[in-house]
Amino acid sequence: MDVPVEFRSIVPIPLQQRRRPVHVSNIATQAETSLIANVFAGTTYVHDSTLGPRGLTATQANIDLAGNHRGLVLETGLRYIETSEDPFTLADTRLTYDLVESLIRLEAGDLTVPTSGLQGNPSIFGISNYRNFNLRPDEDFRANPSQAFELQRPARVSISINGQFIRELRLPSGRYSLTDLPLRASSGNDVVLEILYDTGEIERIVFAAFYDFNLLRNGISEFAFSAGPASEIRNGRRRYDANNIAFSGFYRLGVSDRLTMGVNAQLDEDLVNFGSEALIATGIGSIGLLANYSEHTDASGVAVTGFYRWADKDPKRQMSFEAQTSYQDRSFRSLGSTSGSTGFKYDTAFRVAGNVSDKLRLQMSGGHRRRHDSNFDELSMTFSGTRRLGRGALGATVRYDEMGGRSEWSAGISYTVRFGPASTQLAHETRRNTTRASFGYQPNTGANSFGYDIAYTAQSFRDELRAGVGYIGNRFDARFEQTFAQVQPGGRLGEESFTNLFLGSAFVYADGATSLSRPVVDSFAIFKTATGAEMFDIAVDPGSTIFGTRRSYAARSTVLGPAVLPDLQSYYPRTVQVEAPDAPGGISIGNETYSFRPGLRSGHIINVGTDRNVSVVGMLVDIDGNPVPFASGYALTGDGERRATFSNAGGRFFVDGLKAGEDVRIEIEAPNKMVAAIKVPEGALGLSRLEQHVVLETVSPDAELRIAENAAAIRKE
């Protein structure tokens, strides 16, 4: 049944692709115990240099470990940096447990410390609990509708932010929202979606994002509370201060769908910081106000930020206006910062953007600010436009800056063309006198795929040519990059020449099953052939190349172990298909689908196939040798399984899921009750054709006796 789009749940679109399957019933059971060990290594070899020594340098290696036992997750790791005074360091270590139904995440160790409003971003070793809406991603707890869109049919969606390509997704029909995009809160952004339907139609949607408003739905609360000794990283190693106990917390509530309010506080032995926030949506736009007060050993101070956003409802014009203004005392402090959240006394910015036509979009933005340590203002204005030209887009920018009595005009122009996964760009900007030409081909997510990129950058003080090749393997990822540069006036391209090499692989374990994999992003699944089907290689999550000339897969089984799907995203549903591309037809593996909704850093073990790898085709006839058409019934296997079967108009029938050499009883229920016996040929594999006709007899004691005698005779043969 096809669910209408308007009744479907909204699916967030993160930068890491997450697919929502059509059916999420029969979800695969998560392994009770799983382990992920990601290994990354990179090094640089300097061939020529006028600035330093030659040879191997800057070698680094990381081992990231994650274990999950019944939902309790331990994450840690080891870092090696050759150039550091202390080359070996322990990575952040923490325990995590998710209460999915309550939308609460519990942590102990090096905490993530969620914050809100004008809070700082402290580092704390301790305990925390906070609301995490991503634990139930197919439900919408926020009230902002401005970043949601619908696809009435499957399409390829290209995402760009401020003219910069971010990624491309293949999405089924449904309702989606934008989340986890790299939007900067203090500057204007254009999030552009270019939707290419399978029919060739192109639709373009522009989202304006100035500040993440995070309006909550009526009655929905969001909170976070973290406490423990403060920590900081010095010389590459995390240091803990047991004498300085820190606390960070906030609470926000959706008073209605149009009003969200909250309070927050942070403190340690030297600092107290508390504040409030209010976000309201009105008929003429959305308004927000954030205010915090801090008091520490030296002084006290306040910080206030207000913002406004309006978006036109006309989908063709897509007009928007955003403005934000901030004030901060010099003595204002936030936890985790020694000089406040910014160096500005006040900072005001605005942006207005809209479509002039279906191919031209214009934008104007500006800012006015003053730093605490200066006696002059800073002013900036930017005018930009983007025009679509066939497969490409032409962008132009003009910028004016004024600071300390000095003013400067600068401009930039770029032309970008995309051909499927390939793109090329030419750009020039006058501020740094930089010209850049680049070409890139991004591979699909299938194993054994390559990506290529090359870029030439010419600047007044440096020229650089860089070329790279990336490889997504079945068991590892790799990237090779070569750079030639000119760094001295009058020098030559190549006086600085160096090669970078990066490798990544993983070892995974799930309830006794192990395998090698390329690095695991979050969670994984091992696909292991069951007993009796070990001779078949399996392939997971089929796709196709750009020209559709061959099948590609996200993972395959090899002599190195079972297939591993390494990119499952925790709590996001995903359905994958499993095939045995090199196996004959009629076996127990092929076109099977499995659904997942993995927990945090979890693993799954999927046993694929059985020892029932024979399908038979034969002719049903009556005792006079006449074909029996349109018969329907069952095949009773040696271990009691019933397999449905029927014959066509010519009397031919088909039964799958049988074992080589086993005796099978055919029971026909219509048009008459009849029985027969067959023996699956020894050594049969895949589709097997029975040479002799299968004689059906009407059910009677004499017929049963003859069937038994025939079966015995077949066994003797």
Side-chain angles (χ1 to χ4, degrees):
M1 180 178 69
D2 190 22
V3 179
V5 170
E6 61 269 21
F7 294 111
R8 299 183 187 181
S9 298
I10 295 178
V11 180
I13 298 183
L15 287 179
Q16 200 65 256
Q17 184 177 0
R18 303 162 181 169
R19 299 184 203 169
R20 183 170 183 258
V22 177
H23 302 288
V24 291
S25 58
N26 300 320
I27 293 176
T29 302
Q30 183 175 305
E32 184 175 85
T33 303
S34 59
L35 174 67
I36 302 167
N38 286 325
V39 180
F40 305 92
T43 190
T44 300
Y45 185 87
V46 179
H47 303 277
D48 291 297
S49 177
T50 60
L51 304 176
R54 302 179 182 181
L56 285 174
T57 181
T59 299
Q60 299 186 32
N62 297 336
I63 300 177
D64 293 331
L65 301 174
N68 185 314
H69 180 67
R70 296 183 178 180
L72 180 64
V73 178
L74 173 64
E75 295 176 279
T76 187
L78 185 65
R79 306 281 184 264
Y80 171 77
I81 303 177
E82 180 187 26
T83 56
S84 175
E85 295 180 3
D86 193 357
F88 291 97
T89 58
L90 184 68
D92 285 354
T93 301
R94 65 175 162 268
L95 284 169
T96 305
Y97 188 80
D98 289 332
L99 304 174
V100 178
E101 292 303 315
S102 302
L103 292 168
I104 294 176
R105 173 164 290 177
L106 307 175
E107 290 184 353
D110 294 306
L111 308 178
T112 53
V113 191
T115 59
S116 181
L118 299 179
Q119 290 185 303
N121 296 291
S123 296
I124 297 176
F125 182 86
I127 58 175
S128 71
N129 75 93
Y130 59 93
R131 176 139 288 162
N132 187 342
F133 293 126
N134 287 331
L135 299 185
R136 280 152 55 188
D138 44 5
E139 299 181 47
D140 187 19
F141 299 97
R142 295 181 173 88
N144 332 27
S146 59
Q147 291 185 330
F149 67 98
E150 294 180 353
L151 294 179
Q152 294 288 342
R153 54 194 188 278
R156 187 178 298 277
V157 180
S158 174
I159 302 175
S160 300
I161 298 179
N162 293 336
Q164 179 182 0
F165 172 76
I166 299 298
R167 70 165 303 164
E168 190 172 85
L169 304 173
R170 173 72 182 179
L171 299 175
S173 60
R175 303 173 65 203
Y176 297 89
S177 66
L178 297 174
T179 62
D180 298 344
L181 294 174
L183 305 179
R184 295 175 298 170
S186 298
S187 62
N189 294 276
D190 258 347
V191 182
V192 179
L193 303 184
E194 191 167 86
I195 302 171
L196 175 62
Y197 292 102
D198 293 343
T199 56
E201 300 171 67
I202 296 178
E203 181 180 352
R204 196 164 181 265
I205 302 176
V206 179
F207 293 102
F210 197 80
Y211 191 94
D212 186 5
F213 277 80
N214 274 340
L215 279 169
L216 300 175
R217 289 194 180 278
N218 182 29
I220 300 297
S221 63
E222 184 179 16
F223 57 84
F225 304 102
S226 308
S231 67
E232 63 177 337
I233 296 178
R234 295 198 305 267
N235 299 323
R237 181 180 290 274
R238 187 169 291 283
R239 315 287 178 174
Y240 303 95
D241 186 356
N243 297 318
N244 184 13
I245 304 300
F247 169 82
S248 177
F250 70 85
Y251 181 85
R252 305 174 68 244
L253 176 66
V255 180
S256 70
D257 282 353
R258 290 180 171 270
L259 175 63
T260 295
M261 302 187 70
V263 294
N264 60 75
Q266 292 182 325
L267 58 92
D268 64 7
E269 64 175 357
D270 299 318
L271 171 72
V272 174
N273 181 309
F274 59 89
S276 61
E277 61 182 271
L279 310 174
I280 184 170
T282 72
I284 58 171
S286 299
I287 302 170
L289 180 64
L290 314 174
N292 275 59
Y293 170 83
S294 73
E295 187 171 305
H296 53 96
T297 53
D298 298 330
S300 61
V302 298
V304 180
T305 295
F307 43 86
Y308 170 80
R309 180 173 66 189
W310 171 84
D312 190 0
K313 295 181 180 180
D314 188 332
K316 293 184 177 180
R317 293 184 303 184
Q318 295 183 347
M319 294 284 294
S320 65
F321 175 78
E322 292 114 351
Q324 177 175 312
T325 183
S326 301
Y327 170 82
Q328 179 180 291
D329 283 340
R330 178 189 292 271
S331 55
F332 177 80
R333 298 290 183 270
S334 58
L335 197 61
S337 172
T338 58
S339 59
S341 57
T342 71
F344 294 101
K345 180 178 181 180
Y346 59 81
D347 185 356
T348 300
F350 77 94
R351 188 195 72 148
V352 60
N355 294 336
V356 177
S357 67
D358 59 348
K359 294 185 177 181
L360 177 63
R361 182 170 178 82
L362 299 179
Q363 173 178 303
M364 179 178 67
S365 61
H368 183 234
R369 62 194 64 86
R370 172 173 285 193
R371 301 176 186 269
H372 284 295
D373 55 359
S374 67
N375 55 6
F376 54 83
D377 293 345
E378 300 176 21
L379 176 67
S380 65
M381 290 287 294
T382 302
F383 305 88
S384 62
T386 303
R387 180 175 178 81
R388 289 186 293 137
L389 301 171
R391 290 182 174 270
L394 179 66
T397 301
V398 177
R399 181 182 176 94
Y400 174 78
D401 292 280
E402 183 179 305
M403 183 173 62
R406 295 177 298 175
S407 62
E408 178 186 19
W409 286 91
S410 59
I413 189 170
S414 67
Y415 181 65
T416 304
V417 180
R418 293 189 55 80
F419 298 91
S423 65
T424 184
Q425 184 180 71
L426 298 173
H428 178 77
E429 62 97 6
T430 62
R431 193 175 190 184
R432 297 179 179 84
N433 192 26
T434 300
T435 301
R436 188 174 188 272
S438 64
F439 171 82
Y441 170 76
Q442 299 297 324
N444 57 32
T445 57
N448 305 318
S449 58
F450 287 88
Y452 315 91
D453 57 88
I454 185 169
Y456 179 78
T457 304
Q459 296 176 293
S460 55
F461 57 89
R462 178 186 176 94
D463 287 1
E464 179 181 284
L465 175 64
R466 178 190 52 76
V469 178
Y471 174 72
I472 298 177
N474 195 34
R475 309 293 181 183
F476 69 94
D477 289 347
R479 178 169 173 80
F480 174 89
E481 196 172 272
Q482 178 64 44
T483 302
F484 301 96
Q486 172 193 335
V487 295
Q488 302 289 344
R492 61 177 178 85
L493 188 67
E495 61 187 9
E496 290 287 324
S497 174
F498 53 90
T499 301
N500 292 320
L501 179 64
F502 308 94
L503 293 171
S505 187
F507 170 83
V508 294
Y509 167 92
D511 284 352
T514 62
S515 191
L516 293 176
S517 167
R518 62 181 179 271
V520 176
V521 178
D522 184 342
S523 299
F524 69 93
I526 298 176
F527 294 83
K528 184 179 180 181
T529 49
T531 302
E534 303 94 332
M535 71 287 290
F536 307 119
D537 288 334
I538 60 174
V540 181
D541 209 16
S544 61
T545 61
I546 180 175
F547 300 110
T549 56
R550 62 180 175 85
R551 199 80 151 161
S552 67
Y553 297 93
R556 301 186 70 134
S557 62
T558 66
V559 294
L560 295 178
V564 180
L565 189 64
D567 59 353
L568 295 178
Q569 186 71 28
S570 56
Y571 302 107
Y572 282 83
R574 170 95 173 264
T575 295
V576 299
Q577 184 176 338
V578 177
E579 298 179 351
D582 301 322
I587 66 170
S588 62
I589 305 175
N591 297 323
E592 296 175 272
T593 58
Y594 299 89
S595 295
F596 301 91
R597 193 189 292 268
L600 178 68
R601 307 307 302 270
S602 63
H604 300 72
I605 173 68
I606 303 297
N607 290 306
V608 181
T610 68
D611 57 356
R612 296 190 166 277
N613 293 301
V614 182
S615 300
V616 298
V617 174
M619 176 76 76
L620 294 178
V621 298
D622 58 23
I623 57 176
D624 296 324
N626 300 315
V628 179
F630 306 118
S632 63
Y634 296 92
L636 197 64
T637 66
D639 53 9
E641 282 192 31
R642 290 168 61 126
R643 315 287 297 186
T645 186
F646 58 90
S647 65
N648 63 11
R652 289 198 170 273
F653 75 101
F654 172 85
V655 183
D656 63 354
L658 305 179
K659 291 182 184 179
E662 78 171 331
D663 297 321
V664 179
R665 175 185 171 91
I666 304 295
E667 297 181 351
I668 298 300
E669 297 180 344
N672 299 304
K673 297 269 187 188
M674 294 185 288
V675 293
I678 63 173
K679 181 178 178 63
V680 181
E682 294 285 353
L685 181 66
L687 186 64
S688 178
R689 299 183 184 277
L690 300 179
E691 296 180 0
Q692 297 182 348
H693 293 170
V694 177
V695 180
L696 291 169
E697 294 193 42
T698 303
V699 176
S700 68
D702 291 340
E704 291 287 356
L705 179 60
R706 285 194 297 272
I707 292 296
E709 291 174 349
N710 291 339
I714 292 174
R715 283 194 293 269
K716 288 180 180 180
E717 293 176 1

